[in-house]
Amino acid sequence: MNLLSQLATSFQHLFGADPLLICSPGRVNLIGEHTDYNEGFVLPAAIDKAIYLEVGRRSDDNIHFVAHDLSRTHQGSLSDLMPTHTWADYLLGVIAQFRLAGHKIGGINCVFSGTIPMGAGLSSSAALENGVGFALNELFGLGLDRITLLKLSQRAENEFVGAKVGIMDMFASMMGKADHVIKLDCRSLEYTYAPLRMEGISVVLCDSRVKHSLVTSEYNTRRAECEAGVRFLQTYYPEIKSLRDVTMAMLDQHLRDTEPLIYRRCAYVVQENQRLLDGVAALEENDIATFGQLMYGSHEGLSKWYEVSCPELDILVDIARQQPGVYGARMMGGGFGGCTINLVREESLEAFTDQIMKQYKARTGKDTYIHVCKIQDGTHVVDESVTV
């Protein structure tokens, strides 16, 4: 029995009534890492690894969630929305934000599962939050637009779950468009779609199976180093608000010789923003080869200038660079573990997978998981005839 049939059977058995089926995808980020909190650009896309939710209205104010994969349930009431410090908070938080915003909703039943690999950094939490919010909007006829919905998801995770995440994950999951990436301005939230014509090309994620404890402390340190660079430059250029306003000429003149560490951190961000803009231009010309070289440049900057990679990620990129049919590769996400993202020709995919798995094991002693993705639409209602 396929996943959607399992969810439908479970919902029918527990609740009876015909539910709404929602698909809410995970995301990748093609280029533009650690630029979001510096008010720069990111280039994410929704993928065909998703959370699926069967959601139906109740006649009372109760809520009943079923995490199908975990065989866990949560039951409560709209009058008692308090954090549980469990998986249920990702759903409860969204409901709480809808009520705080004054939207009239009733009780719901929800059974959910997914195909997003756990721990791979593909934003399963944002997908779940978006899915719940989208379902509430549909079931109760609230008429909210997608931007409003994704902001409610972000507030749920920030304020209810307690994770101070940025906007990119929710934005990519909700606003994704098949065969396109989203050029998102993290300062203004203005966005445009750029074509990603992937005929014969696969988006492949290679999971390092590593997550170092450095990620939180070093993330905070990088933010502080970027902010220190901005403060230093503001003594010369008072109009500067963030690294978004900084040029390499400014850095070369005022920071390169006096603050070499801060210079490297800031230079990476300035260069990464430019790489992203150049990458969008390449995609518009259907020049995947140039885009792939920019991905390699991004990884080099993340590894050597921003220093948020790790030996395992560097090894995965090094192996990928040597394989035929690979356009580009880089680490994806906060760093110190997680996945690399690779653009690989489909006819080279089998050999690529074989070499990555063999060489990574030989060089690190670790196994790797390979996930092949396609770019798809953002959160949406699914026809019940679809199979997953």
Side-chain angles (χ1 to χ4, degrees), residues 213-278:
S213 58
L214 285 171
V215 64
T216 300
S217 61
E218 290 296 326
Y219 175 88
N220 292 336
T221 299
R222 294 302 178 278
R223 289 194 71 149
E225 289 165 344
C226 291
E227 290 162 2
V230 170
R231 286 195 301 273
F232 187 91
L233 290 172
Q234 282 172 335
T235 61
Y236 301 95
Y237 311 97
E239 70 277 9
I240 287 175
K241 300 285 192 302
S242 69
L243 287 179
R244 170 70 173 275
D245 305 316
V246 172
T247 66
M248 283 304 299
M250 294 175 184
L251 294 174
D252 289 343
Q253 182 174 351
H254 301 290
L255 274 176
R256 183 173 56 190
D257 298 325
T258 57
E259 297 284 350
L261 178 64
I262 300 298
Y263 170 81
R264 290 200 303 276
R265 303 298 191 246
C266 294
Y268 160 74
V269 174
V270 172
Q271 291 168 350
E272 183 77 345
N273 274 322
Q274 188 58 53
R275 274 190 288 266
L276 187 146
L277 297 176
D278 292 343

Side-chain angles (χ1 to χ4, degrees), residues 120-335:
L122 304 182
S123 300
S124 57
S125 61
L128 181 55
E129 289 154 345
N130 279 348
V132 174
F134 196 91
L136 291 172
N137 191 46
E138 292 287 318
L139 288 172
F140 296 100
L142 302 177
L144 304 177
D145 62 65
R146 287 175 176 265
I147 299 293
T148 300
L149 291 174
L150 69 89
K151 287 180 178 178
L152 287 167
S153 292
Q154 184 192 22
R155 286 209 291 273
E157 190 148 349
N158 288 170
E159 299 172 17
F160 197 93
V161 178
K164 302 301 181 185
V165 298
I167 197 72
M168 179 182 74
D169 295 346
M170 287 78 183
F171 204 101
S173 174
M174 181 68 74
M175 305 297 291
K177 183 178 179 182
D179 301 321
H180 290 76
V181 289
I182 308 168
K183 177 192 167 191
L184 173 62
D185 182 335
C186 293
R187 169 178 280 175
S188 68
L189 291 192
E190 293 178 355
Y191 67 98
T192 57
Y193 292 103
L196 189 62
R197 301 179 184 91
M198 297 294 283
E199 299 88 353
I201 302 170
S202 295
V203 177
V204 184
L205 306 179
C206 301
D207 191 341
S208 70
R209 307 286 304 283
V210 170
K211 200 65 178 178
H212 291 298
S213 58
L214 285 171
V215 64
T216 300
S217 61
E218 290 296 326
Y219 175 88
N220 292 336
T221 299
R222 294 302 178 278
R223 289 194 71 149
E225 289 165 344
C226 291
E227 290 162 2
V230 170
R231 286 195 301 273
F232 187 91
L233 290 172
Q234 282 172 335
T235 61
Y236 301 95
Y237 311 97
E239 70 277 9
I240 287 175
K241 300 285 192 302
S242 69
L243 287 179
R244 170 70 173 275
D245 305 316
V246 172
T247 66
M248 283 304 299
M250 294 175 184
L251 294 174
D252 289 343
Q253 182 174 351
H254 301 290
L255 274 176
R256 183 173 56 190
D257 298 325
T258 57
E259 297 284 350
L261 178 64
I262 300 298
Y263 170 81
R264 290 200 303 276
R265 303 298 191 246
C266 294
Y268 160 74
V269 174
V270 172
Q271 291 168 350
E272 183 77 345
N273 274 322
Q274 188 58 53
R275 274 190 288 266
L276 187 146
L277 297 176
D278 292 343
V280 170
L283 291 180
E284 289 173 344
E285 296 296 325
N286 197 26
D287 185 354
I288 301 295
T290 293
F291 187 87
Q293 290 304 307
L294 292 165
M295 291 175 69
Y296 285 128
S298 175
H299 184 81
E300 183 75 9
L302 286 159
S303 179
K304 301 298 192 295
W305 290 64
Y306 217 61
E307 296 183 280
V308 291
S309 186
C310 63
E312 295 87 352
L313 291 171
D314 290 344
I315 286 168
L316 283 171
V317 171
D318 183 57
I319 297 169
R321 190 188 288 269
Q322 300 170 38
Q323 305 311 309
V326 178
Y327 286 103
R330 70 175 192 88
M331 60 157 276
M332 185 181 76

